[in-house]
Amino acid sequence: MGKYFGTDGFRGEANKDLTFDHAIKIGRFLGWYYGANQGKKAKVVIGKDTRRSSYMFEYALCTGLMASGADAYIMHVTTTPSVAYIARVDDFDCGIMISASHNPFYDNGIKLLNGNGEKMDEETILKVEDYIDGRIDIPIATREEIGRTVDYVEGRNRYIGHLISMSKYSFKGVKVGLDCANGAAWQIAKGIFDALGAKTYVMNAEPDGLNINTNCGSTHIEHLQKFVVDNKLDVGFAYDGDADRCLGVDEKGNVITGDHTLYIYGLYMKERGKLLNNKVVTTVMSNFGLYKALDKVGIEYEKTAVGDKYVYENMVQTGNRLGGEQSGHTIFLKYETTGDGILTSLKLMEVMLAKKKPMSELAAPVVFYPQVLKNVRVNSKPDAQNDPDVQHAVKLVADTLGDTGRILVRESGTEPVIRVMVEAESDDICEKYVDEVIDVIKEKGHLSK
């Protein structure tokens, strides 16, 4: 991770951590780097979510791009995966998504994608940061070299057509609830489900610039749970602010997490001979119950660090075709390069219709283990993590749990915090073993004062 950009872009409170000036400079550098620097005029596609500041950052990025001689193609309010898709299929030099995902409205972010629709490589990100900090000088475009903006709503429409075309079944007669989080999915998701024949019930699709993710969407799934039960729906899907993740709700009101999705669709692929390598890719935060369920049906798995970036990297390196996070980022590598909440919901619908089973039955084999996670503020994350006595305490817990649970101790990527997590057969067991490890961290003097 760089000075400004983390694993999912440059993110922070709008005009405090991430400012209008930052956006202009990012546009300036990308417009030059992919354009005049290579002796051509750059083409960059831009999308945004519904938060108030997204419009400001859109104009700032366009200003920077045009000042460096690039043409900025504006998709307006759209999803992160749509920008990734269009960057790839319409031959753009790069893509930019303005969103802070599931964060509150006053935060925002700038996500950079390469021409293949993948997250931008670290080397280019570091060059962007060097320009922001004044360590690189680049020329400004003049006369006919100045860039222009192009209204590119057709790109969003092409993405919608892409998703509709992937459905193998009519949704006619299926009652579906959608929670659009007052975010990027609000103009897209309902139209897709309607086009496929579903009886679509929508909530939180009235964005006002300030209500994105507010008590709605995948981070507040309880509202969709009630909505599905109250309206006697067959299934429900909740997206986050930029719609790159999806959580579901079955007809009984139970939550369908990203782990459930990996099991449901992984088994469906295996049964049709489509699960290459017989593996799904998870992160270390997937629930132990997922692994037990996968073991029972003979599906293998890999574990990566937390972050869909690492899931995608593993999939590219190994050829695995399905991966994701418990939080709802699911990557279907055959179709897209990033998590796509709407695609995920369509794929879950496909399994329901193909197997003629309710979502509750499809998800039933994944029985989540109780989990306790505690954060410990420490003076030095590496010192605490690598302390022999702490490692010994962790090993004792792991050996004691055996195949009835697991322990995970990891460093926070953004705070001076060690996270201690235990999954086991009861909350009491989880609590006991988490506290045992934390007591050793405390006894060895690692706690910050």
Side-chain angles (χ1 to χ4, degrees):
M1 292 188 292
K3 177 179 177 181
Y4 301 106
F5 286 82
T7 56
D8 202 22
F10 186 163
R11 190 180 296 187
E13 185 170 345
N15 273 350
K16 286 192 176 179
D17 307 303
L18 172 62
T19 69
F20 180 88
D21 289 334
H22 287 134
I24 291 178
K25 288 179 179 178
I26 292 169
R28 280 275 285 130
F29 181 82
L30 294 177
W32 167 80
Y33 185 72
Y34 288 103
N37 179 53
Q38 300 180 27
K40 65 175 187 176
K41 179 175 283 291
K43 284 177 52 184
V44 180
V45 63
I46 302 176
K48 65 175 182 286
D49 68 18
T50 57
R51 60 194 82 217
R52 175 79 56 85
S53 62
S54 291
Y55 295 80
M56 174 184 70
F57 288 123
E58 178 185 61
Y59 297 144
L61 285 161
C62 287
T63 297
L65 287 164
M66 291 186 292
S68 289
D71 290 342
Y73 287 69
I74 307 171
M75 286 176 66
H76 304 285
V77 173
T78 193
T79 67
T80 292
S82 73
V83 176
Y85 174 75
I86 292 301
R88 174 167 56 90
V89 301
D90 283 358
D91 197 29
F92 282 95
D93 292 296
C94 68
I96 305 174
M97 179 64 187
I98 306 160
S99 177
S101 190
H102 59 280
N103 286 27
F105 83 90
Y106 48 79
D107 286 344
N108 216 325
I110 296 176
K111 303 181 182 184
L112 304 183
L113 304 163
N114 65 22
N116 294 320
E118 304 163 325
K119 291 186 177 181
M120 194 74 78
D121 64 277
E122 195 70 20
E123 182 181 356
T124 303
I125 291 291
L126 292 176
K127 289 177 180 176
V128 174
E129 294 192 343
D130 282 343
Y131 179 69
I132 291 173
D133 285 339
R135 288 192 287 270
I136 297 177
D137 289 323
I138 61 177
I140 196 163
T142 59
R143 298 191 177 188
E144 69 276 5
E145 293 177 351
I146 294 173
R148 60 182 180 139
T149 59
V150 179
D151 187 303
Y152 207 60
V153 70
E154 66 183 81
R156 186 176 68 196
N157 294 337
R158 186 174 296 113
Y159 167 74
I160 291 171
H162 159 68
L163 290 184
I164 292 173
S165 71
M166 282 196 294
S167 178
K168 298 180 179 180
Y169 297 91
S170 166
F171 294 173
K172 187 175 181 179
V174 184
K175 294 187 291 184
V176 182
L178 301 177
D179 185 342
C180 295
N182 292 315
W186 81 282
Q187 289 182 307
I188 298 176
K190 184 179 188 302
I192 291 172
F193 276 82
D194 286 349
L196 291 169
K199 188 170 183 181
T200 314
Y201 297 70
V202 178
M203 61 190 302
N204 300 310
E206 297 180 352
D208 62 11
L210 308 179
N211 61 0
I212 186 172
N213 299 316
T214 303
N215 294 317
C216 60
S218 60
T219 53
H220 295 278
I221 193 72
E222 65 275 8
H223 300 296
L224 181 61
Q225 290 177 275
K226 185 176 186 302
F227 187 74
V228 167
V229 173
D230 288 351
N231 290 282
K232 296 181 172 56
L233 306 184
D234 296 306
V235 69
F237 301 106
Y239 311 114
D240 63 339
D242 65 336
D244 65 351
R245 70 170 73 178
C246 169
L247 295 183
V249 173
D250 70 21
E251 76 284 0
K252 298 178 181 179
N254 300 310
V255 177
I256 306 299
T257 70
D259 283 351
H260 290 98
T261 298
L262 291 178
Y263 174 82
I264 292 168
Y265 204 79
L267 179 58
Y268 178 61
M269 292 177 73
K270 179 181 175 68
E271 290 169 344
R272 295 179 302 135
K274 303 291 187 181
L275 189 63
L276 298 188
N277 303 328
N278 192 42
K279 282 185 180 180
V280 299
V281 183
T282 72
T283 76
V284 293
M285 290 305 292
S286 282
N287 191 275
F288 193 63
L290 169 63
Y291 300 125
K292 299 287 279 187
L294 291 173
D295 287 340
K296 286 182 180 178
V297 294
I299 294 177
E300 300 174 10
Y301 40 84
E302 299 210 19
K303 300 179 184 180
T304 74
V306 175
D308 60 329
K309 168 185 177 180
Y310 302 111
V311 173
Y312 178 72
E313 288 176 354
N314 175 283
M315 296 171 77
V316 170
Q317 291 167 4
T318 62
N320 296 320
R321 304 296 287 274
L322 178 67
E325 298 185 284
Q326 188 184 90
S327 61
H329 287 118
T330 306
I331 301 174
F332 301 86
L333 194 62
K334 180 179 178 180
Y335 306 106
E336 294 186 7
T337 57
T338 185
D340 187 331
I342 300 175
L343 175 61
T344 299
S345 56
L346 297 177
K347 287 298 181 182
L348 286 171
M349 289 287 292
E350 179 183 331
V351 182
M352 278 181 59
L353 294 165
K355 293 191 172 185
K356 297 181 173 60
K357 292 181 179 180
M359 187 61 68
S360 61
E361 187 175 340
L362 295 174
V366 182
V367 180
F368 270 22
Y369 275 47
Q371 179 187 96
V372 171
L373 170 66
K374 294 185 180 180
N375 296 325
V376 186
R377 297 188 72 83
V378 294
N379 297 314
S380 166
K381 291 183 286 187
D383 287 351
Q385 179 92 320
N386 298 323
D387 187 302
D389 290 332
V390 173
Q391 291 183 341
H392 179 66
V394 172
K395 185 176 185 305
L396 280 179
V397 172
D399 290 345
T400 303
L401 288 172
D403 64 357
T404 66
R406 66 173 182 140
I407 181 170
L408 176 66
V409 179
R410 68 183 185 92
E411 300 176 16
S412 165
T414 58
E415 301 175 273
V417 161
I418 293 290
R419 307 192 195 281
V420 183
M421 185 272 286
V422 170
E423 289 172 347
E425 293 174 329
S426 73
D427 289 323
D428 289 343
I429 294 174
C430 293
E431 192 85 25
K432 175 178 182 291
Y433 289 131
V434 166
D435 288 343
E436 283 185 8
V437 173
I438 290 176
D439 285 343
V440 175
I441 294 174
K442 189 182 301 182
E443 289 166 6
K444 293 302 298 289
H446 292 298
L447 294 191
S448 61
K449 297 179 181 179

